[in-house]
Amino acid sequence: MTPAVTLLLREFLYHGRKLLQIALEGYTWYVFTEDGFQKESSVTDTEDVSYVSSPYLPNCLRMGTTPMLDNAKRAHESASGETAIQDELSEALYLMNVHVLVAEYVPVGENQMIGMNERLGSLDRCKGGMFTATVDRSPTDTQFNVATGLTNVRVLDFENIRCVNVEAEINYPEDDGIVQVEYFGIHISSAGSVFYGLRVDAVEDRMGDRTSLDHLSRVLVDIHQDSSRILHDVLSDFQRQMLDILHRGETANRPKFNIVIADEIVPFEDAQSYVQKSEFANELRQVGKLHEELRN
């Protein structure tokens, strides 16, 4: 180990001459020493990136042919935004023309599916609208004030007791300087399968045909967070209670499955190379697990 690396490790592990220790209080991690030093850790903070996306759902989930919004013409907007990334990034791989699906299970059932289609206005002439989970405590008042961050939903197609496909525009506030043109395609079925899909048009100053895995890992975190908030806005109170029971009060942090589809990975090599070469493996682990079968 070089002296430079040894120095970096010492700065990371020690405060002065005292070894740093960790403790969890509520939802916050702290680092502290025995002589009284303590500070809040930033290890769980997410680094926002500017990006532009278009809604996406594979044809096997669609019930009709209503076209989805294409934001490719707005891809340049991400380059005008700022970044919260503080690390120095290195790139060994990149992906071309990335589509992302995030999947999870939610208690639905046929009765709840009918109710959801009614709330979304699937049977109405003017489908969709702006949605929030906030309850109006004064329904007779002429105003209804809600926090910034409504979800704009457009119904694409549906089968009343089986499923619904929608296109959602995310309007949640971001940190100053962060530009996110964020649209999801969402498939919800009565079996409980929920898919959130998008096409990556640009991240930071990178167009969709050269997507960095460092950037994509941060986009995936953002998708996980925002998709939970989106679904929360359109579920019934009963479904929100069921989710809370299912995940023991950790509904906002519930696990989901990532499916990353790309036209090409550059450089293109055999599967074992991506596991055996550490520079490839380290980048791929940012977005998913490398299966042991690839080692054989």
Side-chain angles (χ1 to χ4, degrees):
M1 187 180 299
T2 65
V5 173
T6 302
L7 179 61
L8 288 173
L9 283 174
R10 183 170 184 80
E11 291 176 350
F12 181 74
L13 296 173
Y14 289 83
H15 177 73
R17 293 179 176 273
K18 297 293 184 178
L19 181 66
L20 290 169
Q21 301 180 55
I22 60 172
L24 177 64
E25 296 182 11
Y27 291 95
T28 305
W29 286 98
Y30 291 91
V31 292
F32 67 95
T33 60
E34 294 177 348
D35 61 358
F37 169 80
Q38 178 176 297
K39 72 172 184 178
E40 184 178 334
S41 173
S42 60
V43 68
T44 58
D45 292 349
T46 56
E47 299 173 322
D48 284 336
V49 293
S50 298
Y51 67 93
V52 175
S53 66
S54 298
Y56 164 73
L57 286 174
N59 290 334
C60 61
L61 298 178
R62 295 294 308 272
M63 299 291 111
T65 58
T66 303
M68 305 184 79
L69 187 67
D70 186 351
N71 286 322
K73 59 184 179 299
R74 301 183 61 184
H76 64 279
E77 294 181 25
S78 70
S80 64
E82 298 180 4
T83 181
I85 297 177
Q86 300 179 8
D87 297 333
E88 292 184 7
L89 304 181
S90 60
E91 183 180 275
L93 301 167
Y94 68 86
L95 303 178
M96 298 179 64
N97 302 324
V98 177
H99 293 74
V100 174
L101 284 172
V102 173
E104 67 170 332
Y105 169 79
V106 173
V108 182
E110 293 182 352
N111 290 335
Q112 291 293 329
M113 191 75 252
I114 294 172
M116 181 176 294
N117 275 312
E118 289 179 352
R119 290 192 300 276
L120 293 172
S122 300
L123 295 168
D124 299 342
R125 185 167 63 178
C126 298
K127 299 176 174 59
M130 306 291 286
F131 290 85
T132 178
T134 304
V135 177
D136 187 359
R137 301 296 182 185
S138 303
T140 59
D141 290 354
T142 57
Q143 291 183 338
F144 177 43
N145 295 322
V146 296
T148 304
L150 292 175
T151 302
N152 186 16
V153 173
R154 180 171 74 101
V155 177
L156 298 170
D157 43 63
F158 71 100
E159 288 189 5
N160 201 30
I161 64 172
R162 182 184 168 202
C163 68
V164 63
N165 293 319
V166 302
E167 179 182 278
E169 177 186 3
I170 315 308
N171 296 308
Y172 301 136
E174 302 292 342
D175 294 337
D176 291 342
I178 301 296
V179 175
Q180 292 185 354
V181 180
E182 192 176 6
Y183 286 77
F184 288 173
I186 305 175
H187 169 84
I188 306 171
S189 78
S190 58
S193 301
V194 179
F195 292 89
Y196 313 90
L198 60 80
R199 184 188 72 211
V200 179
D201 294 312
V203 185
E204 301 288 347
D205 58 350
R206 296 287 195 90
M207 300 300 286
D209 59 357
R210 192 183 176 100
T211 301
S212 163
L213 288 172
D214 291 305
H215 290 159
L216 184 60
S217 65
R218 290 161 172 85
V219 171
L220 285 172
V221 172
D222 198 64
I223 295 171
H224 277 234
Q225 294 173 339
D226 290 348
S227 60
S228 293
R229 295 173 65 183
I230 292 169
L231 200 66
H232 188 263
D233 288 341
V234 299
L235 291 179
S236 66
D237 287 338
F238 173 74
Q239 288 173 298
R240 286 193 284 267
Q241 292 171 9
M242 290 294 292
L243 267 182
D244 198 54
I245 294 171
L246 183 62
H247 297 284
R248 300 182 179 182
E250 295 290 339
T251 305
N253 302 314
R254 59 187 184 269
K256 299 174 185 176
F257 296 93
N258 296 328
I259 306 169
V260 179
I261 308 165
D263 287 354
E264 188 174 345
I265 184 171
V266 181
F268 180 76
E269 300 192 16
D270 61 89
Q272 289 187 359
S273 297
Y274 296 116
V275 176
Q276 295 170 352
K277 295 181 180 180
S278 60
E279 65 272 21
F280 290 167
N282 290 337
E283 288 215 21
L284 288 169
R285 287 193 182 100
Q286 294 183 101
V287 297
K289 180 180 178 182
L290 296 179
H291 289 282
E292 193 67 26
E293 287 79 1
L294 294 179
R295 299 181 185 274
N296 300 326

